[in-house]
Amino acid sequence: MRDCEYQQIDPQTLTVPSVPAVAVPSITSPTSSDVLRPQKSTHKLRRKWEVFPGRNRFYCDGRIILARQSGVLPLTLGLVLLTSGLFFIFDCPFLVEHLTRTIPAIGGILFFFVVISLLQTSFSDPGILPRATPDEAADVEKHIDNSGSSTYRPPPRTKEVVINDQVVKLKYCFTCKMFRPPRTSHCSLCDNCVERFDHHCPWVGNCVGRRNYRFFYTFILSLSFLTAFIFGCISSLTYSTVVELVICFFSVWSILGLSGFHTYLVASNLTTNEDIKGSWSTKRGVEESGNPYSYNSIISNCCAVLCGNGGTKLLISFIVQLCMALPSIDCCKYYDNKSVEVNSENCPLPFFSECM
Amino acid sequence: MRQQPSIAAKVFIQRDYASGTMCQFQTKFPPELENRIDKQQFEETVRTLNNLYMEAEKLGGQSYLEGCLACLTAYTIFLCMETHYEKVLKKIAKYIQEQNDKIYAPRGLLLTDPIERGLRVVSFLEKEMHSVCQ
């Protein structure tokens, strides 16, 4: 390899927070002589969410993510706002006068928790795994099909790994072209593989997975408290209180039941998906198959699920990581950075080919 | 004459799921890199990455404190605070940059940050220099 003179590129010159979605590369801005100048730009810059192949909708430049169908999220939000609104407008003045001011204060705090956690559950990334690039998919197939046969043979559907002395089967996802990590499942509604997939909740209009499970749990817990609180504070029978009574009566049982169920799941470090399928049921078969992910202690499980890292956005990055402003520029740093033509042939990035 | 880098090959290091869902990568030395880098160097890089990811996901006093504080503020604190996990991810990015600067770039390799591929693989890009006459 010839010795190339190179100069360090200041990474700060590569990040442009307010660049529009489709833009001429910002690297042409002459902030320093070290910034490389492509001879010609034969590409468009796109944010990763713009070329995302799954069935999701993005707003606010990738900061807000929703499933394709929002399900009954407007209904959920509407019911919460209606019931709480009626409570604060009609019941609270009476209660403040005859009892204490803390009642609307508690109601207000609960309402705040419910709305904020609902919005966080609905609008955040549940832990979507980006699809494998063509190179990765080819690499996986190459390792499986070592026979060297020329005829095409799709990879086998499962791979086995041993986790905590237990054999776990990893399935191959034909859509995302990768072996799904443990506890990951493919959501057919959103067309994504989601880490620690719990379920797709139509009430929040999004999948519930690793990254937003704690928001979901906070939502159902605070909603059950709010519903019970409003139900308990109803003291007179007027038109508004009758509406509140009906809504709260029909919802409190299911929400309390759901909270109880999810508390059990959190305490045993299980997901709804695993519980429904009976993946770790001890009744199945002769051998005991316990949950290999459990810490065998309720407190540890709770801490792991609720305080454990929610990961970081694997797919969407709004800290600007422009499609092509990664290895092709980094590699130019080590070679001649003044006259590299950046085009699809030499850009190794996964999403770049989809940008063109 | 100007030089144009291009990718000759890509080598992927897959995840190691022996310790569950924790992010760890396999330390098995890939045969494609046999002539390019030292086996010990490779193992040391992957082991350091594994240790850093373990540190990021560690459940300790700090993560519990963060969790409790976040819970009390209905998780709105995440809008203004960087979590321990995100801080360690930045550390990992810096480490990968250093490794590329010192070890891999002089050998014509580029180590990519696994976060770019959804923490599925660590990839080594083998580069080739072409001299292009104009």
Side-chain angles (χ1 to χ4, degrees):
Chain A
M1 199 199 325
R2 269 175 41 184
D3 277 332
C4 314
E5 278 180 31
Y6 70 90
Q7 290 160 327
Q8 293 286 327
I9 294 181
D10 178 13
Q12 299 303 318
T13 60
L14 301 176
T15 59
V16 181
S18 57
V19 73
V22 174
V24 174
S26 58
I27 45 174
T28 53
S29 62
T31 47
S32 78
S33 60
D34 298 338
V35 175
L36 67 90
R37 292 176 184 78
Q39 298 292 322
K40 59 179 186 200
S41 54
T42 57
H43 60 279
K44 281 182 182 175
L45 288 184
R46 306 258 215 105
R47 297 289 166 89
K48 285 183 183 174
W49 59 265
E50 290 181 290
V51 295
F52 179 58
R55 270 186 239 143
N56 286 92
R57 289 178 289 162
F58 300 91
Y59 301 102
C60 292
D61 202 25
R63 289 176 180 84
I64 289 177
I65 173 171
L66 271 175
R68 171 66 59 191
Q69 302 127 9
S70 53
V72 292
L73 171 66
L75 177 67
T76 313
L77 207 52
L79 281 172
V80 169
L81 291 172
L82 175 72
T83 318
S84 311
L86 287 174
F87 175 72
F88 288 122
I89 295 168
F90 295 104
D91 286 335
C92 282
F94 177 82
L95 291 165
V96 165
E97 203 184 301
H98 289 88
L99 284 174
T100 166
R101 273 184 208 204
T102 56
I103 290 181
I106 295 170
I109 293 170
L110 285 173
F111 173 71
F112 170 74
F113 266 78
V114 167
V115 172
I116 295 288
S117 49
L118 172 62
L119 295 177
Q120 282 172 335
T121 315
S122 303
F123 296 152
S124 62
D125 171 16
I128 297 172
L129 278 176
R131 295 187 184 185
T133 60
D135 297 310
E136 270 182 67
D139 188 65
V140 167
E141 287 195 29
K142 187 179 76 177
H143 279 106
I144 293 166
D145 184 20
N146 284 328
S147 61
S149 143
S150 57
T151 55
Y152 174 76
R153 197 176 71 198
R157 289 186 62 103
T158 59
K159 183 165 92 167
E160 286 182 355
V161 292
V162 178
I163 298 174
N164 286 340
D165 301 327
Q166 201 146 351
V167 175
V168 174
K169 279 203 175 107
L170 304 184
K171 286 187 180 164
Y172 185 80
C173 181
F174 284 97
T175 313
C176 303
K177 304 260 187 304
M178 61 178 177
F179 279 100
R180 283 183 216 130
R183 310 191 96 174
T184 303
S185 197
H186 192 95
C187 175
S188 48
L189 286 162
C190 303
D191 204 22
N192 296 315
C193 269
V194 177
E195 276 192 295
R196 206 185 180 275
F197 180 75
D198 195 84
H199 66 286
H200 182 100
C201 184
W203 294 95
V204 302
N206 200 3
C207 286
V208 178
R210 180 182 168 201
R211 289 201 71 238
N212 65 352
Y213 187 75
R214 59 183 79 181
F215 307 141
F216 177 74
Y217 186 68
T218 309
F219 167 62
I220 53 173
L221 210 59
S222 49
L223 186 62
S224 44
F225 282 129
L226 180 69
T227 323
F229 184 75
I230 292 177
F231 195 62
C233 284
I234 292 172
S235 47
S236 56
L237 276 178
T238 59
Y239 287 117
S240 58
T241 54
V242 165
V243 171
E244 288 169 46
L245 204 69
V246 166
I247 295 174
C248 288
F249 181 78
F250 284 109
S251 49
V252 76
W253 312 112
S254 42
I255 293 170
L256 274 175
L258 196 62
S259 303
F261 174 64
H262 277 277
T263 307
Y264 155 72
L265 290 181
V266 165
S268 34
N269 203 334
L270 276 174
T271 63
T272 306
N273 200 33
E274 285 164 356
D275 190 69
I276 286 175
K277 285 184 184 168
S279 312
W280 314 117
S281 166
T282 48
K283 295 174 197 163
R284 198 172 62 140
V286 183
E287 0 169 319
E288 259 194 39
S289 53
N291 181 5
Y293 312 108
S294 171
Y295 291 90
N296 295 318
S297 146
I298 290 176
I299 294 180
S300 306
N301 283 337
C302 289
C303 291
V305 176
L306 301 173
C307 298
N309 72 92
T312 192
K313 288 187 207 274
L314 297 177
L315 183 68
I316 315 297
S317 173
F318 58 77
I319 301 164
V320 178
Q321 300 242 3
L322 302 176
C323 253
M324 52 78 67
L326 284 171
S328 67
I329 291 187
D330 282 343
C331 69
C332 297
K333 180 175 131 172
Y334 305 109
Y335 303 97
D336 179 3
N337 72 338
K338 300 225 162 147
S339 55
V340 169
E341 209 171 275
V342 184
N343 55 36
S344 58
E345 283 96 57
N346 63 7
C347 178
L349 283 184
F351 290 109
F352 189 77
S353 54
E354 292 166 281
C355 290
M356 295 293 283
Chain B
M1 284 241 291
R2 60 185 167 82
Q3 294 200 318
Q4 195 165 331
S6 66
I7 311 293
K10 293 184 194 178
V11 182
F12 297 103
I13 315 298
Q14 301 287 344
R15 281 272 295 268
D16 175 17
Y17 294 115
S19 43
T21 50
M22 201 182 295
C23 183
Q24 300 279 285
F25 292 97
Q26 292 177 0
T27 47
K28 193 174 112 242
F29 188 64
E32 296 95 333
L33 293 177
E34 219 147 296
N35 301 325
R36 305 295 289 252
I37 50 167
D38 197 24
K39 186 178 174 192
Q40 259 107 15
Q41 191 57 61
F42 166 84
E43 278 178 12
E44 201 208 301
T45 306
V46 180
R47 249 186 230 124
T48 314
L49 279 178
N50 283 344
N51 288 336
L52 283 168
Y53 281 113
M54 214 180 324
E55 189 198 320
E57 296 180 19
K58 188 181 69 166
L59 290 171
Q62 191 176 359
S63 53
Y64 293 149
L65 199 64
E66 254 173 29
C68 288
L69 194 64
C71 198
L72 291 171
T73 58
Y75 303 102
T76 49
I77 197 115
F78 290 147
L79 293 169
C80 32
M81 189 181 86
E82 199 182 49
T83 61
H84 168 70
Y85 188 79
E86 282 162 359
K87 285 187 191 136
V88 180
L89 280 185
K90 283 197 176 156
K91 212 162 121 181
I92 289 170
K94 206 168 139 199
Y95 172 74
I96 289 175
Q97 182 97 340
E98 274 172 35
Q99 292 285 293
N100 275 331
D101 282 339
K102 288 186 205 155
I103 298 157
Y104 297 108
R107 291 181 174 86
L109 287 175
L110 184 69
L111 179 64
T112 61
D113 195 335
I115 200 82
E116 292 305 315
R117 296 193 186 258
L119 292 179
R120 286 194 311 270
V121 285
V122 176
S123 57
F124 282 91
L125 310 177
E126 296 178 359
K127 311 203 97 1
E128 256 178 22
M129 289 299 298
H130 298 298
S131 296
V132 177
C133 295
Q134 278 196 317

